[in-house]
Amino acid sequence: MAVMEEDNPEQEPYYLTKSGKIVGNGNVYIFDNTPDCESEGFIRFRDKKTDKVGMYDGQGEIVIPAEYDDLTNVRNGLVVALKGAGKKHWSGDKDSGCDHFSWEGGRESLLNTDHQIIIDSFKYDANLDFFSLKISAVPDQEADRDNFPGLDGRYYSFLNYSREFQRWFNSAILSSLSEEKLIEGSCGEIYFWQEPDGWTSEANRIFIEKNYEQIKNTLMELTREKADYFLSIDGLNPFIYKAAEFEKYFDNCGKAKEWQYPVMSLVINRRIQSEFYQDQFDFLRTEKGYKLISVTLQKGYLH
């Protein structure tokens, strides 16, 4: 874990292993003012002299040297690495004091924690489920999977969350929409915004039965030709989903594990007369499949 000593402000942040070993003095990986969180027993570090990123194991030993512009956390023993990229500062000026930037160019590859390249020219995609990895001699033919040729001549395939969700939603919900289908495809509680209380929740059956007509009319917009909607992927909001039942969907630093339990947000754009509205339905991926967890309707009151 990352450590700062409040009684010694001159001491730079460092990592502390479970056994009490101090490593990475001044080389803590920080993104958006937040130090890195251990993942599967590994943690990233950034060499303050070279500004390159590497990775320690649980004993504080370097398993991936600091020769990359950036690395992802470990996910199912796999790491996406970026090399040869440049920073594009959002302010347009690296000396403006704004630390927000995005990477441009470079080459991405997929590594394991032994620093072996598994897939070269691998493009990171938040929609890929690294825990669904299949390795085969030929490309996997499942419609919901993306295939990548490995350096060993085999094919590595991963489930694509967006395609998986759209197939499930169309067949399980939209094809023959009903109250019972919505209830079956929902979490036990549905979260929604209500004045003056803010975010609140209600048992799925009660909520859906009271609001079914509004929900149905909105979702049926998707059946129109040239329906205006989009799908985005994110994680659970820790400021909304605070109940104990949601703890497993966050890591030990309180960050949503969107790489394993994503929230698929279905946003429907609607124009009524001259006004533009966006209605949103959030579905959490659970061990029992996708479940509706939140509803936001801009036009019309949720009871």
Side-chain angles (χ1 to χ4, degrees), residues 20 52 76 91 99 107 115 120 161 184 197 227 243-244 273 280:
K52 299 299 182 182
N76 194 26
S91 66
D99 291 331
R107 188 181 186 90
H115 194 214
D120 204 7
Y161 286 132
E184 182 182 343
D197 303 321
Q273 295 179 347
Q280 182 167 323

Side-chain angles (χ1 to χ4, degrees), residues 55-167:
M55 189 167 286
Y56 292 118
D57 65 11
Q59 288 70 50
E61 301 297 328
I62 295 176
V63 291
I64 298 179
E67 59 184 50
Y68 297 95
D69 297 311
D70 213 348
L71 299 170
T72 64
N73 291 116
V74 179
R75 298 168 187 174
N76 194 26
L78 301 172
V79 180
V80 181
L82 174 67
K83 182 179 282 189
K87 289 181 179 179
K88 181 181 179 181
H89 290 264
W90 296 358
S91 66
D93 180 3
K94 67 179 182 179
D95 298 321
S96 68
C98 176
D99 291 331
H100 294 93
F101 66 90
S102 54
W103 292 108
E104 278 193 338
R107 188 181 186 90
E108 291 177 320
S109 54
L110 188 67
L111 316 176
N112 61 22
T113 53
D114 292 325
H115 194 214
Q116 297 171 326
I117 298 178
I118 307 299
I119 302 171
D120 204 7
S121 298
F122 180 86
K123 182 64 178 176
Y124 173 72
D125 185 345
N127 283 292
L128 296 182
D129 176 11
F130 286 93
F131 294 88
S132 68
L133 172 64
K134 287 185 180 179
I135 305 173
S136 54
V138 296
D140 193 290
Q141 296 303 308
E142 287 185 42
D144 295 340
R145 302 186 74 84
D146 289 341
N147 289 273
F148 302 88
L151 292 181
D152 60 2
R154 297 183 295 176
Y155 287 86
Y156 293 73
S157 69
F158 303 93
L159 186 73
N160 184 294
Y161 286 132
S162 288
R163 291 206 299 275
E164 177 194 50
F165 170 78
Q166 290 182 77
R167 177 183 53 78

